[in-house]
Amino acid sequence: EAKRSGQGMIRQFNQALSESEQERQALVRDLRQVIANDQLSLVYQPQFSIADGGLTGCEVLVRWQCPKRGAVGPDVFIPLAESNNLISGITAFVVRQANKELVESGMLGDTIRRVSVNISAQEFNSEKLMSSLLTMLHQSPQLYPYLQLEITETAALSDLSASVRLLTRLRELGLKFSIDDFGTGYSSLAMLKNLPIDEIKIDRDFIHDLLDQPRVRAIVEAVATMARTLEISVVAEGVETQEQLEQIRFCGCHEVQGYLTARPMEIDQLTDFVRNQWSSVSVVQPVNQ
Ligand code: C2E
Ligand code: MG
Ligand code: MG
Ligand code: MG
């Protein structure tokens, strides 16, 4: 009896497993389709100077609005794209579409002078990166001078000396580099020591803990001080409250990106935002402090 019910459980388990496997395969199939049909879309999240509230740039984030499933987050489909050889198609779309939308908006080079695009770890370590980037730059000549690539510590670390060579070459071509989710890897100091980079983005988790953890505040302050000496700009990401903003200002971070100052938005909203609401963004320190 016990044996039989055990087998029943295994059968159920296998069935559940194959259902989720089928769902995963269906997701990959649909993703392949939307990439091929250019049906992904973009949002842009502005970044601001903490010193004067000025717009410093924006990060481009990809979106998938699926008719069947609703919004599927990049946290779900980017890893899937990576493991199914679809990621370079996404990056190519993101660069091409950002170039098109930003040129049409009339903001590129005028109000928007830095555009950050995410490069996934798998792509960064692919042998095809250089040639696919060259193709992208060629196809997006207006965006090219303003383009910054965001990579993660883990991506750069898998072969540090190869990363140094790659970044050095790409920076000679005029590309800028940012280390995304800074502090979440195991060798953040090795990054600062070795990599030729323009910016680091302090991970949201640190920003979240700033207020009630003095140790975190000490770390962020030290990182900002080091970065200043190295002429690397420090962006605090995921800033949601005025209190967090005051903390990152106190720590010496240079720029802020987060829901407090602006959510990620479509290009038309971004145009409105830059025209109308920008002046009301509460970055500048109150006069009476
Ligand atoms: P990321 O590059 O670290 O991007 C920042 C994420 O934080 C975005 O989530 C953004 O919407 C979110 N965010 C911004 N401000 C706040 C805030 O104040 N609070 C909170 N809780 N979240 C905030 P999103 O768009 O869901 O993207 C998640 C991740 O997916 C990104 O993390 C990035 O790793 C990846 N991703 C997004 N777009 C692309 C892309 O075009 N290519 C690649 N390779 N990866 C992408
Ligand atoms: Mg990013
Ligand atoms: Mg990040
Ligand atoms: Mg992240």
Side-chain angles (χ1 to χ4, degrees):
E1 265 310 304
K3 192 175 170 199
R4 195 174 298 159
S5 78
Q7 280 172 345
M9 278 170 68
I10 290 171
R11 199 174 309 119
Q12 270 183 6
F13 176 74
N14 282 339
Q15 200 176 338
L17 200 68
S18 76
E19 270 166 24
S20 71
E21 175 56 24
Q22 276 168 22
E23 167 56 18
R24 204 188 59 85
Q25 282 172 9
L27 207 58
V28 173
R29 209 161 40 238
D30 291 353
L31 181 58
R32 198 182 300 276
Q33 201 73 50
V34 297
I35 295 170
N37 297 336
D38 278 1
Q39 284 165 337
L40 294 169
S41 61
L42 303 182
V43 287
Y44 303 82
Q45 188 174 30
Q47 301 161 323
F48 302 91
S49 156
I50 293 176
D52 62 11
L55 188 74
T56 49
C58 62
E59 177 175 12
V60 188
L61 298 158
V62 69
R63 293 290 179 264
W64 177 12
Q65 190 58 45
C66 176
K68 281 182 281 184
R69 303 176 178 87
V72 184
D75 284 331
V76 173
F77 70 83
I78 293 291
L80 218 54
E82 286 194 279
S83 52
N84 287 277
N85 218 1
L86 297 171
I87 192 70
S88 61
I90 293 183
T91 309
F93 168 81
V94 170
V95 172
R96 194 170 64 237
Q97 186 70 9
N99 184 73
K100 178 169 177 279
E101 292 182 354
L102 287 165
V103 167
E104 281 172 5
S105 77
M107 293 185 288
L108 189 65
D110 181 15
T111 29
I112 296 182
R113 305 189 55 83
R114 194 185 66 213
V115 179
S116 297
V117 166
N118 291 282
I119 299 292
S120 80
Q122 188 248 2
E123 190 176 22
F124 183 73
N125 288 302
S126 146
E127 296 195 334
K128 284 181 280 179
L129 181 70
M130 186 54 98
S131 70
S132 56
L133 277 179
L134 291 175
T135 308
M136 283 180 227
L137 297 176
H138 184 71
Q139 288 171 350
S140 300
Q142 297 97 332
L143 181 61
Y144 183 178
Y146 308 107
L147 193 60
Q148 174 163 276
L149 302 180
E150 293 192 3
I151 58 172
T152 61
E153 290 172 273
T154 356
L157 201 71
S158 82
D159 185 346
L160 193 55
S161 55
S163 297
V164 172
R165 283 196 301 275
L166 184 62
L167 291 199
T168 305
R169 265 189 78 190
L170 289 169
R171 282 177 98 228
E172 282 164 8
L173 294 177
L175 287 173
K176 292 176 277 293
F177 279 91
S178 174
I179 302 293
D180 204 353
D181 306 341
F182 185 84
T184 57
Y186 290 103
S187 297
S188 305
L189 289 181
M191 301 288 104
L192 286 183
K193 174 169 173 279
N194 294 293
L195 286 184
I197 49 170
D198 303 279
E199 174 186 288
I200 58 178
K201 299 181 78 174
I202 300 196
D203 191 66
R204 195 158 75 219
D205 285 352
F206 286 87
I207 307 307
H208 183 260
D209 295 336
L210 264 183
L211 285 170
D212 37 52
Q213 294 190 27
R215 298 171 71 120
V216 172
R217 204 156 51 228
I219 292 169
V220 173
E221 210 181 330
V223 166
T225 305
M226 282 189 287
R228 188 178 297 276
T229 312
L230 300 169
E231 292 179 25
I232 294 168
S233 180
V234 180
V235 179
E237 63 175 1
V239 175
E240 295 181 351
T241 69
Q242 195 67 39
E243 288 76 19
Q244 288 170 343
L245 175 63
E246 294 321 317
Q247 287 298 330
I248 60 165
R249 188 199 307 282
F250 174 81
C251 290
C253 296
H254 307 109
E255 296 178 41
V256 53
Q257 175 184 351
Y259 294 165
L260 174 71
T261 43
R263 294 208 167 231
M265 53 188 107
E266 290 173 10
I267 190 72
D268 291 346
Q269 290 174 281
L270 184 69
T271 309
D272 285 349
F273 180 87
V274 165
R275 270 205 210 111
N276 308 318
Q277 297 161 266
W278 180 10
S279 55
S280 67
V281 168
S282 49
V283 176
V284 181
Q285 194 165 22
V287 194
N288 59 355
Q289 287 199 352

